[in-house]
Amino acid sequence: MKQIIIIIVCAVCTAFFHEQAFAQQGAFQIEGTVYDETGETLPGVSIYHKNKITIGTSSDADGKFSIRASKGDVLVFSYIGYENEEYLVTEAKNNVEIRFKNPSVELDEVMVTALGTQRKISTVRPSQV
């Protein structure tokens, strides 16, 4: 019985690693820079595969990025305040330029709050005590 379980586990592991190796065979490195509509580089842009959102990276302080992708993959570039940009991978490139268009929504003001606990007595005005 133990031998059968060991054989099944080995077969499953072999199939899994074979699939991973096959998937990486056609992959190549895509490198480039992300810009806003004025031509300034954007740090911290999220870059991920459209159909495999667990595979991703972000641009560095100079707006540069590097990610592995295969021909036919769609890369999604996401940044706060801008609409997502998509890039179809057709070949290995090391000078891809992604330019975000005008912001999707203009923000008037932002309010930052913190959640915490407060004793009721601290919220009562002195005139109510």
Side-chain angles (χ1 to χ4, degrees), residues 27-98:
F28 35 80
Q29 203 70 14
I30 302 293
E31 297 177 353
T33 310
V34 184
Y35 300 95
D36 66 3
E37 73 277 0
T38 64
E40 295 291 322
T41 58
L42 288 174
V45 174
S46 297
I47 303 141
Y48 58 91
H49 289 254
K50 186 172 187 174
N51 297 326
K52 306 174 214 167
I53 59 173
T54 58
I55 300 173
T57 187
S58 62
S59 61
D60 65 9
D62 298 323
K64 298 193 180 301
F65 68 92
S66 177
I67 189 169
R68 290 190 63 77
S70 301
K71 185 176 182 178
D73 285 346
V74 176
L75 299 178
V76 178
F77 295 79
S78 174
Y79 195 69
I80 295 174
Y82 291 91
E83 292 183 20
N84 292 352
E85 295 291 325
E86 294 185 358
Y87 175 77
L88 175 64
V89 177
T90 57
E91 61 184 347
K93 282 191 172 181
N94 60 0
N95 59 351
V96 174
E97 289 187 1
I98 302 297

Side-chain angles (χ1 to χ4, degrees), residues 116-123:
T117 58
Q118 206 172 20
R119 288 181 37 198
K120 184 164 175 105
I121 195 163
S122 67
T123 61

